[in-house]
Amino acid sequence: MTTANTSTLGAPPIESPAGFQPEQPRSLLSYARHADPFVMFIWAVSTTLPVGFLAPLRYLAAAYFAGCLILFARQTMPSVARSWPLFLLPILCTISALWAPSMEEALRKGFSLALTGAVAIYAGTRIPGRKILIAYFAAEMIAALMSLGNNSIDQGAWTGIFGQKNFFAVNMFILYVASLGVALDRENGRWIRRLACATIPLALFMVLMAKSGTTTVLSLVTTIAMVGHSLVWRPAAHIPKARLLIVMVFAVIVLAAVYVFIGILQLDLMEEVLGALGKDSTLTGRTMLWDIAQRNMDEHPWTGLGANGYWRAERGMANSIQQMLQGNERFSGFSFHNSYYENGSNYGYPGYWATVFLAVWTCSSAALTWLRNQTSNNMAFLVLALMVVLRSTSEADLSGEFGGTVVLLFIAASRKENLSKKHLTPSPTAPPFPPRPAGA
């Protein structure tokens, strides 16, 4: 005969303690935050190194980012809406398929331009800026080491593995900025900061050996900006009115320099700068190209020639220009060496002004992100954005798809990094209210 404990009969089931949440099975999507930095590194390597077999990896990484953009729509769609200027050129390119010399090429380019923006938006939304900088730091360091082992020289200037000094110079500049950003970020590990510190002189040396005057000047300005930001500007936040004093002193120095050079010495700054950089007044034939693009815009103001409408093998003028400036007997592609004129020739004045608006928006967005949270990472992205926009006046970066520099620009613009929680929440040891005096 068995007996039952009558005290438990009819008792309600035992409930979980207050605040206890049962562990839920983890979805595969929860592991994406671990895969994102690795895919970002694959993207950086495939868009940096001029190696043919890496091209499929670029498209695989782009497909991954585009797919995750949809899977994490709740988090990424606000960023897509906020970054709508990135899709102006893809829309114009797709519409131009109606009159472009090749509809298939125009549609493919429009899709690729949109995919470029999608990659940047996902990376800027889901991947911390610190990990993006580390990915590009690692990719560019591989390019630097490969250039040391297989370097080529063109008229006394290093070209590395890129075959052209301008491409080599801009990639080594990205390595220099990424190295500074990683080294100055105190939240990085000690070993990665030490490696970045050791890479800084190597990157600067390679920039100098590229003999690109523009990139050399940018490196000097970047050093002053980033080092001054970490050693002077950020500590000045703890001193009342110190930052205002820094801004006023800087403004006085700039105004005094302008007054001396223009008002007293009567110097032509454009000629002096070009002479100091070793360039002629035609910018190595670029002014002639810009005149041709301007003529195309005047002849087709609303439509342009369509995507890839001018630089084609069947156009005799395009072949003649490339042969004259590059010496190639066979047409292999060329550009107007200006993003605004390139898009203006393809899409008319709407494309020209859309590119201007895109450049202004990207720089403004990167600057606002830095103003909200003035970290060394945000400063590095601001410097990179300004560099790409400055480069766009002499290169067609903003007209191409899957470019390493343009994706960096779009990432810098699509990021929205507010103050971290540790800056917004009070210290746990501090009392929420000041103690009341005895007897109050």
Side-chain angles (χ1 to χ4, degrees):
M1 181 177 181
T2 60
T3 59
N5 188 358
T6 57
S7 62
T8 60
L9 294 177
I14 299 176
E15 297 181 356
S16 301
F20 175 79
Q21 295 293 336
E23 183 178 359
Q24 299 293 332
R26 302 185 68 179
S27 168
L28 289 177
L29 296 180
S30 63
Y31 294 95
R33 63 186 180 91
H34 301 293
D36 288 346
F38 175 74
V39 179
M40 189 75 247
F41 170 72
I42 296 298
W43 172 268
V45 168
S46 61
T47 56
T48 298
L49 302 182
V51 182
F53 68 85
L54 292 177
L57 296 180
R58 180 188 316 168
Y59 293 103
L60 287 176
Y64 170 85
F65 287 131
C68 289
L69 188 75
I70 298 174
L71 291 176
F72 295 97
R74 181 176 298 180
Q75 182 179 358
T76 59
M77 284 303 109
S79 297
V80 172
R82 187 176 64 252
S83 304
W84 61 269
L86 300 183
F87 300 101
L88 289 177
L89 292 176
I91 292 174
L92 291 175
C93 181
T94 303
I95 295 175
S96 74
L98 298 174
W99 58 84
S102 174
M103 176 179 290
E104 181 181 355
E105 288 184 17
L107 292 176
R108 183 171 61 250
K109 182 174 182 178
F111 176 77
S112 299
L113 289 173
L115 194 58
T116 303
V119 168
I121 292 173
Y122 180 81
T125 304
R126 292 273 304 173
I127 306 177
R130 179 177 299 105
K131 295 183 179 180
I132 296 175
L133 281 181
I134 292 176
Y136 273 90
F137 165 72
E140 296 291 354
M141 186 170 61
I142 294 174
L145 295 177
M146 292 178 63
S147 296
L148 284 177
N150 186 23
N151 184 35
S152 57
I153 301 177
D154 182 17
Q155 298 180 355
W158 286 22
T159 60
I161 60 174
F162 299 94
Q164 188 177 351
K165 73 168 189 176
N166 288 334
F167 293 154
F168 177 67
V170 71
N171 279 279
M172 293 304 100
F173 177 80
I174 294 174
L175 174 61
Y176 183 65
V177 176
S179 300
L180 283 173
V182 173
L184 295 173
D185 185 4
R186 298 181 179 179
E187 296 188 22
N188 283 323
R190 182 177 300 177
W191 66 270
I192 188 69
R193 294 184 66 191
R194 290 178 176 176
L195 180 60
C197 289
T199 308
I200 289 173
L202 173 64
L204 185 58
F205 169 75
M206 290 191 160
V207 168
L208 296 176
M209 295 307 296
K211 295 186 178 180
S212 172
T214 304
T215 311
T216 302
V217 173
L218 284 175
S219 300
L220 176 62
V221 175
T222 297
T223 303
I224 297 174
M226 295 191 66
V227 176
H229 172 265
S230 295
L231 301 183
V232 178
W233 181 261
R234 295 185 66 184
H238 304 288
I239 304 175
K241 309 296 183 180
R243 287 184 170 179
L244 178 61
L245 178 62
I246 294 174
V247 172
M248 293 178 62
V249 170
F250 180 76
V252 169
I253 293 175
V254 171
L255 292 176
V258 171
Y259 175 74
V260 169
F261 285 107
I262 298 180
I264 298 178
L265 300 180
Q266 299 291 324
L267 297 178
D268 188 340
L269 290 182
M270 179 62 70
E271 292 293 336
E272 295 295 331
V273 171
L274 291 177
L277 298 178
K279 300 181 181 295
D280 56 20
S281 58
T282 65
L283 296 174
T284 320
R286 283 177 171 84
T287 54
M288 178 195 68
L289 297 174
W290 300 345
D291 291 338
I292 297 174
Q294 182 66 54
R295 192 181 310 123
N296 292 335
M297 292 167 57
D298 293 337
E299 293 175 356
H300 308 276
W302 293 106
T303 61
L305 300 174
N308 300 330
Y310 187 83
W311 300 108
R312 308 186 64 82
E314 61 267 21
R315 294 185 70 99
M317 189 65 175
N319 282 271
S320 300
I321 292 174
Q322 187 191 39
Q323 184 176 1
M324 178 179 61
L325 296 180
Q326 287 191 332
N328 298 340
E329 296 182 359
R330 189 174 182 180
F331 185 78
S332 57
F334 205 58
S335 73
F336 287 108
H337 284 279
N338 183 289
S339 298
Y340 312 94
Y341 282 123
E342 186 75 27
N343 289 330
S345 179
N346 288 335
Y347 318 123
Y349 280 103
Y352 179 90
W353 289 111
T355 311
V356 172
F357 176 77
L358 178 64
V360 174
W361 175 80
T362 50
C363 290
S364 301
S365 181
L368 289 175
T369 301
W370 173 75
L371 287 174
R372 283 191 290 261
N373 192 4
Q374 298 178 18
T375 62
S376 58
N377 290 327
N378 291 341
M379 185 64 185
F381 278 106
L382 176 59
V383 169
L384 289 172
L386 294 175
M387 180 274 296
V388 176
V389 170
L390 180 61
R391 175 181 161 85
S392 67
T393 60
S394 59
E395 299 294 342
D397 290 358
L398 299 184
S399 65
E401 62 273 16
F402 298 145
T405 56
V406 72
V407 170
L408 269 175
L409 172 66
F410 291 169
I411 289 176
S414 59
R415 296 176 67 246
K416 185 180 179 182
E417 184 177 325
N418 296 319
L419 286 173
S420 58
K421 293 182 179 180
K422 67 179 182 179
H423 296 298
L424 298 177
T425 56
S427 172
T429 58
F433 300 101
R436 298 179 63 183

